[in-house]
Amino acid sequence: MILNDAIRDKIRRLCESNKISEYELAKRSGVKRNSISNFMNIKSRYLKLATLIKIISVFDLSLSSFFSDPIFQDIRGI
């Protein structure tokens, strides 16, 4: 799995388990909905680290706890 795909999957699972829509995620994180939507729908391949930090803060997660998910264990290059 590629890192960006794993990040998308993890964000998607966090939203589903917390019953948060992309709109609500944007509102709570302060990230433009377009930015979230473009990344989640692969219109934008990359997400800035600062943006990821804003998004995961909605779920009260640090970068280390976000990336500790087993989905990130078998990441390969782009």
Side-chain angles (χ1 to χ4, degrees):
M1 180 175 277
I2 295 174
L3 179 59
N4 290 326
D5 294 335
I7 292 172
R8 280 185 195 91
D9 187 56
K10 176 70 176 179
I11 292 171
R12 190 170 288 115
R13 287 188 290 125
L14 285 167
C15 286
E16 288 172 2
S17 66
N18 289 279
K19 296 178 176 45
I20 294 176
S21 66
E22 278 185 12
Y23 171 78
E24 188 65 26
L25 182 60
K27 190 171 151 184
R28 291 184 190 186
S29 67
V31 175
K32 291 181 180 180
R33 184 170 183 260
N34 252 7
S35 297
I36 292 173
S37 181
N38 286 344
F39 179 73
M40 297 304 288
N41 294 307
I42 316 175
K43 292 179 184 173
S44 174
R45 289 185 63 192
Y46 304 103
L47 193 62
K48 291 181 181 179
L49 183 59
T51 303
L52 178 60
I53 291 169
K54 288 178 183 180
I55 289 170
I56 66 174
S57 70
V58 171
F59 305 104
D60 199 29
L61 293 173
S62 66
L63 280 174
S64 59
S65 60
F66 179 82
F67 286 110
S68 69
D69 188 299
I71 195 171
F72 296 106
Q73 289 179 352
D74 294 319
I75 296 300
R76 59 180 168 80
I78 295 173

